[in-house]
Amino acid sequence: MDLDEYRAGLDAWLEHHAEALAPAHEGKGTLDEQLAQIEKVKRLAFDAGWMRHGWPERVGGLGGSTLLRAYLQEAVTARDLVEPGLFSMQEVLAPTMIDFASPELGAIMVPRLLRGDETWCQGFSEPGTGSNLASLACRAVRDGDTWRVTGQKVWTSLAQYAERCVLLTRTGTVESAHRGITGLFVDMDSPGITVRPIEAVHGSEEFSEVFFDDVVVPAERMLGAEGQGWSVAMDLLPYERSTALWQRAAFLHRRLQQLLELAPADSLDPVRLGEVTQTLYAFRARSRATQHRMADGGTLGPETSIDKVLLATTEQAVFDLFADALAAELTTGDDPASSQWRAEFLYSRAASIYGGSSEIQRNIIARRLLDLGSDR
C-alpha cells in the first residue's frame, strides 16, 4: 500500500469510527485516562490493520514504508485523539527491540506493544549522570544463565504502568565507559523492582524513579551481545528523534491553529507570530526529511540531534506565544481547556531537557557533525 492509498483509507476509517475513537474524558484528562485512551486507539487501529502497516511482518506487521507509521501518528494527533508523547513510545522502543532482541522474543513482544496490550518503559537515565549515558552505574552481574541487576533509574516515563523495560546496565568497569554497557529486556513485575512516581510541574506523575534490588533477568533477555549496550542506545536514540518528533510537529501545528482560533485579533504580535510560524515549519521540514531518509533505508544518527534542538525551540515558542496572547486563561482559567493549555505550557519547559538536553544535542552537533573537537 502506498502513502496516498494509506492516507485516504486511514482518514476515512478515522472519520467513520470517530465516535468510538473519541476520548471519554474532557480536556487533557488524568494520566490514567490518557493511557486508557491510548490503549483503546491502539487496539482499534491494530485490529483494523492500520497500526500494523510500516512494521515488519516478522513482528506482526504488514510491511510497507515507515512513512505509513508516520502518517498514523500525525492523523491521530491532528484529531486530538491521543497525548502525542505517550502514544509515540512504540516508535521509540519497538525499532530497537526488532534490531537487537532475538527474533523469537521480538515476534512475541512487539505485537503486544503495537496493539496497546502492554506498556513499555525506557530505563536509561540515572541520578547524577543526566544525559551522559556513558557514565551510568546500574550494575548487572552475570550469574550462570541469568543477570542480577542492582541500581537505580530516574525520569523513567510510565514505569508505574509498564509491563517491560528496555534497560541499560553497567556490566564492565566504571572506567570502561560506553564499552561496558549491556542492554536487557526486563519484566517489570520481577521481584526486587520498586517504582516511585514523580509528580512533575504540570501535575502529572508521568515519570518515576525505578529501583532494582538484585533483580534476576534471564540471559536470553539480553538485547544484542554482552557489552553491546552502547550500540543499543545509539540505535534507540535516533528513533526517539524521528517518527516521534514528526508526531510532535503535528501536535504543535494543531496547537498553533487552535491558538489562532482562540486569540483576540489584537492580542498577537504579527512579527512574533510570523517568527513562531517560520520556526514551526522549519522544524516540520527538517522532520519530514528525516522521515523520508528513514523510509529510504538510511541510517539515522547524530544528525537527528538537529531535529531535537528544533523541537525544543519550537515547542517553547508556540506556548510562549499562547502565554503572551491569553495570559489570563493560562494562569487562572479553571475550565478544562485552560487547564490543558496550562499543563502543556508547563510541560513545554521540559522540551529542552527530555530526550537529551539541548546542551548535549549541541555538543553532539559540534563534535560529530561539525568536527569541532571535544568541549573539554
Side-chain angles (χ1 to χ4, degrees):
M1 184 181 294
D2 65 22
L3 180 58
D4 288 342
E5 183 183 1
Y6 181 84
R7 181 187 288 120
L10 176 60
D11 286 346
W13 182 81
L14 289 170
E15 292 301 322
H16 184 71
H17 294 84
E19 185 175 345
L21 290 162
H25 58 272
E26 189 177 6
K28 191 173 181 63
T30 65
L31 189 55
D32 286 348
E33 290 171 330
Q34 292 172 18
L35 266 292
Q37 171 66 12
I38 286 171
E39 290 170 2
K40 179 179 74 174
V41 171
K42 282 186 173 182
R43 183 179 67 257
L44 292 173
F46 186 93
D47 291 347
W50 302 111
M51 193 76 188
R52 299 170 63 192
H53 286 279
W55 295 98
E57 294 179 8
R58 66 180 184 277
V59 293
L62 297 174
S65 170
T66 57
L67 293 177
L68 309 184
R69 287 161 34 195
Y71 184 69
L72 172 68
Q73 301 274 329
E74 177 185 349
V76 297
T77 300
R79 289 167 173 78
D80 282 332
L81 293 179
V82 296
E83 201 291 322
L86 306 181
F87 184 79
S88 64
M89 288 298 285
Q90 76 273 358
E91 293 294 336
V92 176
L93 299 174
T96 296
M97 187 70 180
I98 294 169
D99 289 342
F100 285 90
S102 68
E104 296 78 13
L105 186 62
I108 294 171
M109 295 296 177
V110 172
R112 298 179 184 179
L113 180 66
L114 298 183
R115 192 175 181 272
D117 296 333
E118 290 192 356
T119 297
W120 297 358
C121 62
Q122 176 185 334
F124 280 24
S125 296
E126 296 184 3
T129 63
S131 298
N132 184 9
L133 288 176
S135 62
L136 67 84
C138 182
R139 174 158 291 281
V141 177
R142 191 66 180 259
D143 182 13
D145 293 334
T146 65
W147 289 94
R148 306 186 81 92
V149 180
T150 300
Q152 181 184 353
K153 298 290 177 177
V154 72
W155 309 122
T156 309
S157 299
L158 306 181
Q160 71 271 46
Y161 296 92
E163 281 84 9
R164 324 284 173 189
C165 179
V166 175
L167 181 69
L168 291 184
T169 61
R170 171 69 57 194
T171 51
T173 63
V174 174
E175 292 74 22
S176 62
H178 64 278
R179 295 181 300 278
I181 298 172
T182 298
L184 300 174
F185 189 62
V186 179
D187 294 339
M188 288 295 287
D189 61 355
S190 301
I193 295 179
T194 303
V195 177
R196 294 179 183 169
I198 300 170
E199 182 173 350
V201 67
H202 64 310
S204 176
E205 293 184 340
E206 180 179 325
F207 309 106
S208 290
E209 296 176 290
V210 184
F211 299 86
F212 298 84
D213 183 8
D214 198 26
V215 175
V216 177
V217 181
E220 64 263 25
R221 289 296 191 88
M222 267 197 305
L223 300 177
E226 181 177 347
Q228 203 179 4
W230 186 254
S231 297
V232 171
M234 293 303 101
D235 185 82
L236 186 148
L237 291 176
Y239 287 117
E240 194 173 62
R241 301 165 196 149
S242 55
T243 308
L245 294 201
W246 177 251
Q247 185 187 23
R248 203 74 189 166
F251 162 72
L252 295 175
H253 190 262
R254 172 72 170 153
R255 287 294 179 266
L256 184 59
Q257 287 178 319
Q258 292 172 328
L259 170 57
L260 294 176
E261 294 166 3
L262 290 171
D266 59 352
S267 65
L268 288 169
D269 177 353
V271 174
R272 182 64 184 142
L273 174 59
E275 291 173 347
V276 173
T277 303
Q278 183 182 44
T279 301
L280 173 58
Y281 276 80
F283 169 44
R284 279 167 57 95
R286 173 72 191 185
S287 185
R288 182 180 183 277
T290 299
Q291 307 316 307
H292 280 269
R293 194 166 67 255
M294 185 167 68
D296 292 339
T299 300
L300 302 183
E303 74 285 347
T304 58
S305 291
I306 297 173
D307 302 47
K308 178 60 174 59
V309 171
L310 287 173
L311 161 67
T313 303
T314 305
E315 182 152 349
Q316 293 178 355
V318 168
F319 285 99
D320 283 346
L321 192 66
F322 184 91
D324 291 342
L326 294 162
E329 288 80 355
L330 183 75
T331 55
T332 60
D334 58 1
D335 57 288
S338 295
S339 297
Q340 181 168 0
W341 279 103
R342 183 160 50 249
E344 291 175 350
F345 171 85
L346 293 170
Y347 190 81
S348 73
R349 304 304 95 178
S352 50
I353 300 173
Y354 67 67
S357 70
S358 292
E359 288 78 8
I360 289 291
Q361 304 309 321
R362 290 190 173 98
N363 276 349
I364 292 171
I365 293 167
R367 294 167 57 186
R368 301 181 62 185
L369 300 181
L370 301 178
D371 197 23
L372 296 180
S374 173
D375 59 326
R376 295 181 180 177

